[in-house]
């Protein structure tokens, strides 16, 4: 059922994020691929090729992007490009630990945006459960022992965090509106295509494309294969994230991100043989408790709700509750 898909999508998203984050860091540090915006562009292009192969194999149906959804896709593509570009750029300057600690603010930003801009409220228990999640992520960051503060990297990650938070809410809205008109693979294809006109000039004017030939591994096919494989994983991560937003709320994705960030740091500690600390261990426990509390209140809330209408993909009509970032249209009343 849909409840299983909701949980499964979060689990798959966690695996994709942890793998993508660690491998991307390896691209920048291990292979010295210091071209973060170009890397984001590669991710879009390789993901589009992967989607095309899925269409050709008959595993998904290609659908043209409806004209009336151009504005929504433009908003998502801009926010996603900012999130992807600045995240990769910051990862080239700061550690995974510092990056994850900054991203702990995402649930608070999502809640604030929904509350004050969209006038959407959540239960008091949902708000309370975010406290241990954010506190746990900060403790994990403090206990990691990596003091690699870089002003530019920190500012870039702050911008990426705000863009990511608003993107979650906006993408959730657009997915709910287009789910009766296109599948998730087509959705991903058009989203990646919409980001190319943003990332390509960005990579050109910041000098990355013109200096790419100076990369130490430029003539090494093995290095290029690794870069492209990790780039494709960016598309996998985006696809699974869209699935999470299809079956869950933006706040659920934000809460899951906090737990995933703590787990990412734990995995990196084991991979790179880093010593743990009391703060780090406490942070992990607090993060797990916070996510368990959030999941529990969400489950109890779902049981109290009246049975929802069948999904629009199954032939029924479902109105959208969350407007777009700008220029959202209200559903017409009969």
């Amino acid at each position: 059922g849909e409840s299983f898909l909701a949980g499964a999508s979060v689990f798959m998203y966690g695996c994709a994020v942890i793998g993508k984050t660690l491998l991307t860091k390896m691209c920048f540090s291990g292979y010295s691929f210091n071209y973060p915006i170009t890397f984001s562009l590669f991710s879009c292009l390789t993901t589009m090729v992967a989607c095309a192969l899925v269409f050709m194999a008959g595993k998904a149906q290609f659908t043209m992007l409806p004209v009336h959804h151009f504005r929504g896709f433009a908003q998502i593509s801009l926010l996603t490009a900012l999130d992807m570009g600045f995240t990769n750029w910051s990862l080239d300057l700061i550690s995974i630990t510092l990056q994850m600690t900054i991203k702990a603010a995402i649930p608070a930003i999502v809640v604030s945006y929904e509350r004050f801009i969209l006038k959407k409220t959540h239960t008091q228990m949902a708000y309370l459960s975010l406290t241990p999640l954010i506190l746990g992520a900060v403790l994990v960051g403090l206990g990691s022992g990596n003091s690699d503060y870089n002003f530019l990297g920190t500012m870039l990650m702050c911008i990426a965090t705000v863009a990511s938070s608003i993107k979650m809410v906006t993408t959730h809205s657009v997915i709910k509106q287009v789910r009766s008109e296109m599948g998730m693979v087509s959705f991903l294809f058009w989203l990646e295509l919409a980001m190319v006109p943003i990332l390509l000039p960005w990579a050109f004017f910041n000098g990355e494309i013109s200096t790419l030939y100076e990369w130490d591994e430029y003539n090494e096919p093995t290095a290029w294969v690794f870069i492209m494989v990790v780039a494709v994983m960016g598309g996998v991560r985006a696809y699974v994230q869209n699935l999470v937003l299809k079956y869950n709320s933006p706040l659920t994705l934000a809460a899951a991100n906090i737990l995933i960030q703590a787990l990412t740091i734990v995995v990196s500690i084991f991979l790179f043989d880093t010593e743990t600390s009391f703060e780090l261990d406490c942070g992990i426990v607090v993060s797990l408790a916070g996510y368990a509390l959030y999941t529990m209140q969400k489950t109890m809330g779902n049981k109290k709700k009246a049975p929802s209408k069948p999904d629009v993909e199954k032939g029924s009509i479902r109105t959208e509750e969350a407007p777009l970032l700008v220029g959202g249209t209200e559903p017409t009343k009969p």
Side-chain angles (χ1 to χ4, degrees):
E2 192 159 309
S3 297
F4 172 78
L5 292 175
S9 63
V10 172
F11 175 77
M12 290 188 295
Y13 176 67
C15 295
V17 169
I18 293 174
K20 172 65 168 54
T21 301
L22 296 175
L23 290 175
T24 300
K25 185 63 177 178
M26 189 178 298
C27 288
F28 296 147
S29 59
Y31 284 88
S32 300
F33 191 79
N34 302 317
Y35 306 91
I37 308 304
T38 302
F39 181 79
S40 301
L41 177 62
F42 285 166
S43 181
C44 291
L45 296 175
T46 53
T47 300
M48 289 170 58
V49 172
C51 290
L53 293 175
V54 172
F55 295 140
M56 293 172 62
K59 300 299 181 180
Q61 182 179 0
F62 175 75
T63 307
M64 293 297 296
L65 177 62
V67 176
H68 55 280
H69 289 306
F70 277 9
R71 174 175 290 182
F73 269 80
Q75 293 167 355
I76 299 175
S77 62
L78 177 59
L79 292 168
T80 304
L82 291 174
D83 177 21
M84 181 188 298
F86 285 138
T87 296
N88 288 336
W89 190 354
S90 70
L91 196 56
D92 191 31
L93 301 172
I94 62 178
S95 70
I96 292 176
T97 301
L98 182 54
Q99 187 188 73
M100 296 297 104
T101 304
I102 295 172
K103 292 183 73 173
I106 286 181
I109 298 174
V110 169
V111 166
S112 300
Y113 182 78
E114 289 187 325
R115 178 69 181 86
F116 297 108
I117 304 300
L118 302 183
K119 308 301 180 182
K120 179 180 179 181
T121 59
H122 297 276
T123 64
Q124 185 175 6
M125 184 61 71
Y127 293 128
L128 291 175
S129 65
L130 295 179
T131 303
L133 273 170
I134 297 174
L135 176 61
V138 172
L139 286 173
V140 168
L142 293 175
S144 65
N146 286 329
S147 54
D148 63 335
Y149 176 79
N150 177 283
F151 179 76
L152 178 59
T154 301
M155 291 300 101
L156 292 173
M157 195 60 230
C158 289
I159 296 173
T161 298
V162 174
S164 177
S165 303
I166 300 176
K167 179 194 69 175
M168 289 180 186
V169 180
T170 307
T171 303
H172 178 262
S173 173
V174 175
I175 287 176
K176 294 298 183 183
Q177 293 181 20
V178 305
R179 63 190 299 177
S180 64
E181 302 174 60
M182 65 170 59
M184 295 307 297
V185 179
S186 289
F187 182 93
L188 179 62
F189 176 84
W190 289 111
L191 178 58
E192 300 296 313
L193 179 61
M195 285 192 289
V196 172
I198 301 173
L199 294 172
L200 182 58
W202 189 356
F204 178 79
F205 287 111
N206 74 355
E208 288 188 7
I209 292 180
S210 60
T211 58
L212 186 59
Y213 71 94
E214 298 177 1
W215 179 38
D216 294 338
E217 307 288 338
Y218 186 79
N219 294 317
E220 295 294 331
T222 304
W224 278 110
V225 170
F226 182 78
I227 295 296
M228 293 304 172
V229 169
V230 179
V232 171
M233 287 189 64
V236 175
R237 176 187 179 280
Y239 175 78
V240 181
Q241 178 177 279
N242 291 339
L243 284 182
V244 175
L245 289 171
K246 179 178 180 180
Y247 296 110
N248 300 274
S249 70
L251 188 57
T252 296
L253 176 59
N257 268 327
I258 295 297
L259 180 62
I260 291 168
Q261 289 157 23
L263 295 178
T264 301
I265 295 175
V266 172
V267 172
S268 66
I269 286 172
F270 282 106
L271 286 179
F272 302 111
D273 196 24
T274 305
E275 293 184 3
T276 61
S277 64
F278 176 75
E279 292 87 352
L280 188 145
D281 295 335
C282 286
I284 295 171
V285 173
V286 172
S287 294
L288 290 171
Y291 189 72
L293 183 62
Y294 177 83
T295 303
M296 181 177 67
Q297 66 83 26
K298 179 188 173 187
T299 302
M300 294 175 62
N302 288 340
K303 289 181 179 179
K304 294 179 181 179
K305 290 180 181 178
S308 59
K309 297 179 181 180
D311 193 280
V312 48
E313 290 180 323
K314 299 176 183 177
S316 66
I317 298 176
R318 187 176 190 176
T319 59
E320 175 55 48
E321 297 178 355
L324 293 179
L325 180 63
V326 178
T329 55
E330 297 293 331
T332 56
K333 295 182 180 180

